[in-house]
PDB file of all heavy atoms in Angstrom:
ATOM      1  N   ASP A 315      37.217  16.473  34.315  1.00  0.00           N
ATOM      2  CA  ASP A 315      38.572  15.984  33.970  1.00  0.00           C
ATOM      3  C   ASP A 315      38.345  14.718  32.994  1.00  0.00           C
ATOM      4  O   ASP A 315      37.549  13.803  33.367  1.00  0.00           O
ATOM      5  CB  ASP A 315      39.255  15.511  35.096  1.00  0.00           C
ATOM      6  CG  ASP A 315      39.878  16.702  35.820  1.00  0.00           C
ATOM      7  OD1 ASP A 315      39.819  17.843  35.366  1.00  0.00           O
ATOM      8  OD2 ASP A 315      40.495  16.505  36.925  1.00  0.00           O
ATOM      9  N   MET A 316      39.087  14.604  31.915  1.00  0.00           N
ATOM     10  CA  MET A 316      39.073  13.410  31.045  1.00  0.00           C
ATOM     11  C   MET A 316      39.368  12.177  31.735  1.00  0.00           C
ATOM     12  O   MET A 316      38.751  11.065  31.546  1.00  0.00           O
ATOM     13  CB  MET A 316      40.031  13.703  29.910  1.00  0.00           C
ATOM     14  CG  MET A 316      39.627  14.651  28.823  1.00  0.00           C
ATOM     15  SD  MET A 316      37.952  14.305  28.186  1.00  0.00           S
ATOM     16  CE  MET A 316      38.311  12.776  27.253  1.00  0.00           C
ATOM     17  N   SER A 317      40.240  12.222  32.789  1.00  0.00           N
ATOM     18  CA  SER A 317      40.611  11.044  33.456  1.00  0.00           C
ATOM     19  C   SER A 317      39.411  10.429  34.207  1.00  0.00           C
ATOM     20  O   SER A 317      39.224   9.266  34.379  1.00  0.00           O
ATOM     21  CB  SER A 317      41.759  11.310  34.436  1.00  0.00           C
ATOM     22  OG  SER A 317      41.388  12.363  35.277  1.00  0.00           O
ATOM     23  N   LEU A 318      38.611  11.370  34.760  1.00  0.00           N
ATOM     24  CA  LEU A 318      37.425  10.929  35.505  1.00  0.00           C
ATOM     25  C   LEU A 318      36.317  10.335  34.584  1.00  0.00           C
ATOM     26  O   LEU A 318      35.627   9.450  34.848  1.00  0.00           O
ATOM     27  CB  LEU A 318      36.769  12.095  36.307  1.00  0.00           C
ATOM     28  CG  LEU A 318      37.608  12.607  37.433  1.00  0.00           C
ATOM     29  CD1 LEU A 318      36.936  13.808  38.130  1.00  0.00           C
ATOM     30  CD2 LEU A 318      37.794  11.487  38.476  1.00  0.00           C
ATOM     31  N   LYS A 319      36.262  11.037  33.346  1.00  0.00           N
ATOM     32  CA  LYS A 319      35.158  10.557  32.386  1.00  0.00           C
ATOM     33  C   LYS A 319      35.414   9.272  31.823  1.00  0.00           C
ATOM     34  O   LYS A 319      34.497   8.544  31.435  1.00  0.00           O
ATOM     35  CB  LYS A 319      35.123  11.542  31.212  1.00  0.00           C
ATOM     36  CG  LYS A 319      34.298  12.806  31.633  1.00  0.00           C
ATOM     37  CD  LYS A 319      33.865  13.453  30.329  1.00  0.00           C
ATOM     38  CE  LYS A 319      34.185  14.986  30.381  1.00  0.00           C
ATOM     39  NZ  LYS A 319      33.934  15.649  29.207  1.00  0.00           N
ATOM     40  N   GLU A 320      36.663   8.756  31.747  1.00  0.00           N
ATOM     41  CA  GLU A 320      37.001   7.559  31.032  1.00  0.00           C
ATOM     42  C   GLU A 320      36.215   6.464  31.634  1.00  0.00           C
ATOM     43  O   GLU A 320      35.679   5.566  30.771  1.00  0.00           O
ATOM     44  CB  GLU A 320      38.499   7.275  31.147  1.00  0.00           C
ATOM     45  CG  GLU A 320      39.248   7.996  29.942  1.00  0.00           C
ATOM     46  CD  GLU A 320      40.780   7.959  30.152  1.00  0.00           C
ATOM     47  OE1 GLU A 320      41.277   7.242  31.054  1.00  0.00           O
ATOM     48  OE2 GLU A 320      41.392   8.701  29.292  1.00  0.00           O
ATOM     49  N   ASN A 321      36.206   6.152  32.883  1.00  0.00           N
ATOM     50  CA  ASN A 321      35.530   4.986  33.461  1.00  0.00           C
ATOM     51  C   ASN A 321      34.190   5.382  34.166  1.00  0.00           C
ATOM     52  O   ASN A 321      33.756   4.718  35.073  1.00  0.00           O
ATOM     53  CB  ASN A 321      36.387   4.238  34.496  1.00  0.00           C
ATOM     54  CG  ASN A 321      37.651   3.703  33.699  1.00  0.00           C
ATOM     55  OD1 ASN A 321      37.608   3.252  32.596  1.00  0.00           O
ATOM     56  ND2 ASN A 321      38.844   3.983  34.399  1.00  0.00           N
ATOM     57  N   LEU A 322      33.712   6.566  33.904  1.00  0.00           N
ATOM     58  CA  LEU A 322      32.599   7.154  34.637  1.00  0.00           C
ATOM     59  C   LEU A 322      31.420   6.182  34.788  1.00  0.00           C
ATOM     60  O   LEU A 322      30.862   5.951  35.822  1.00  0.00           O
ATOM     61  CB  LEU A 322      32.129   8.487  34.082  1.00  0.00           C
ATOM     62  CG  LEU A 322      31.202   9.296  34.936  1.00  0.00           C
ATOM     63  CD1 LEU A 322      31.836   9.703  36.247  1.00  0.00           C
ATOM     64  CD2 LEU A 322      30.735  10.521  34.232  1.00  0.00           C
ATOM     65  N   ARG A 323      30.994   5.669  33.643  1.00  0.00           N
ATOM     66  CA  ARG A 323      29.886   4.790  33.616  1.00  0.00           C
ATOM     67  C   ARG A 323      29.922   3.657  34.533  1.00  0.00           C
ATOM     68  O   ARG A 323      29.087   3.330  35.307  1.00  0.00           O
ATOM     69  CB  ARG A 323      29.547   4.269  32.261  1.00  0.00           C
ATOM     70  CG  ARG A 323      28.887   5.391  31.318  1.00  0.00           C
ATOM     71  CD  ARG A 323      28.494   4.711  30.022  1.00  0.00           C
ATOM     72  NE  ARG A 323      29.128   5.446  28.844  1.00  0.00           N
ATOM     73  CZ  ARG A 323      29.037   5.129  27.718  1.00  0.00           C
ATOM     74  NH1 ARG A 323      28.439   3.943  27.353  1.00  0.00           N
ATOM     75  NH2 ARG A 323      29.655   5.830  26.645  1.00  0.00           N
ATOM     76  N   GLU A 324      31.183   2.933  34.500  1.00  0.00           N
ATOM     77  CA  GLU A 324      31.476   1.849  35.313  1.00  0.00           C
ATOM     78  C   GLU A 324      31.424   2.169  36.908  1.00  0.00           C
ATOM     79  O   GLU A 324      30.841   1.485  37.682  1.00  0.00           O
ATOM     80  CB  GLU A 324      32.853   1.168  35.015  1.00  0.00           C
ATOM     81  CG  GLU A 324      32.804   0.460  33.673  1.00  0.00           C
ATOM     82  CD  GLU A 324      32.907   1.478  32.460  1.00  0.00           C
ATOM     83  OE1 GLU A 324      33.125   2.649  32.648  1.00  0.00           O
ATOM     84  OE2 GLU A 324      32.529   0.921  31.273  1.00  0.00           O
ATOM     85  N   ILE A 325      32.069   3.402  37.199  1.00  0.00           N
ATOM     86  CA  ILE A 325      32.178   3.863  38.501  1.00  0.00           C
ATOM     87  C   ILE A 325      30.656   4.086  39.068  1.00  0.00           C
ATOM     88  O   ILE A 325      30.322   3.631  40.104  1.00  0.00           O
ATOM     89  CB  ILE A 325      33.033   5.262  38.629  1.00  0.00           C
ATOM     90  CG1 ILE A 325      34.331   4.947  38.273  1.00  0.00           C
ATOM     91  CG2 ILE A 325      32.850   5.758  40.015  1.00  0.00           C
ATOM     92  CD1 ILE A 325      35.262   6.186  38.067  1.00  0.00           C
ATOM     93  N   ILE A 326      29.942   4.861  38.249  1.00  0.00           N
ATOM     94  CA  ILE A 326      28.621   5.193  38.758  1.00  0.00           C
ATOM     95  C   ILE A 326      27.771   3.936  38.910  1.00  0.00           C
ATOM     96  O   ILE A 326      27.007   3.763  39.855  1.00  0.00           O
ATOM     97  CB  ILE A 326      27.830   6.071  37.661  1.00  0.00           C
ATOM     98  CG1 ILE A 326      28.614   7.510  37.715  1.00  0.00           C
ATOM     99  CG2 ILE A 326      26.426   6.357  38.051  1.00  0.00           C
ATOM    100  CD1 ILE A 326      28.070   8.549  36.697  1.00  0.00           C
ATOM    101  N   GLU A 327      27.798   2.985  37.955  1.00  0.00           N
ATOM    102  CA  GLU A 327      27.020   1.824  38.003  1.00  0.00           C
ATOM    103  C   GLU A 327      27.389   0.945  39.266  1.00  0.00           C
ATOM    104  O   GLU A 327      26.483   0.431  39.804  1.00  0.00           O
ATOM    105  CB  GLU A 327      27.304   0.992  36.762  1.00  0.00           C
ATOM    106  CG  GLU A 327      25.985   0.188  36.329  1.00  0.00           C
ATOM    107  CD  GLU A 327      26.244  -0.710  35.185  1.00  0.00           C
ATOM    108  OE1 GLU A 327      27.134  -0.416  34.393  1.00  0.00           O
ATOM    109  OE2 GLU A 327      25.460  -1.609  34.987  1.00  0.00           O
ATOM    110  N   GLU A 328      28.742   0.896  39.550  1.00  0.00           N
ATOM    111  CA  GLU A 328      29.133  -0.008  40.634  1.00  0.00           C
ATOM    112  C   GLU A 328      28.517   0.619  41.949  1.00  0.00           C
ATOM    113  O   GLU A 328      28.050  -0.129  42.717  1.00  0.00           O
ATOM    114  CB  GLU A 328      30.626   0.075  40.672  1.00  0.00           C
ATOM    115  CG  GLU A 328      31.233  -1.080  41.603  1.00  0.00           C
ATOM    116  CD  GLU A 328      32.812  -0.946  41.677  1.00  0.00           C
ATOM    117  OE1 GLU A 328      33.358  -0.662  40.560  1.00  0.00           O
ATOM    118  OE2 GLU A 328      33.370  -1.191  42.695  1.00  0.00           O
TER     119      GLU A 328
END
Side-chain angles (χ1 to χ4, degrees):
D315 282 357
M316 284 306 291
S317 57
L318 291 175
K319 278 200 232 178
E320 274 170 11
N321 302 316
L322 189 66
R323 282 186 236 174
E324 289 74 15
I325 294 168
I326 293 178
E327 209 182 342
E328 195 181 322

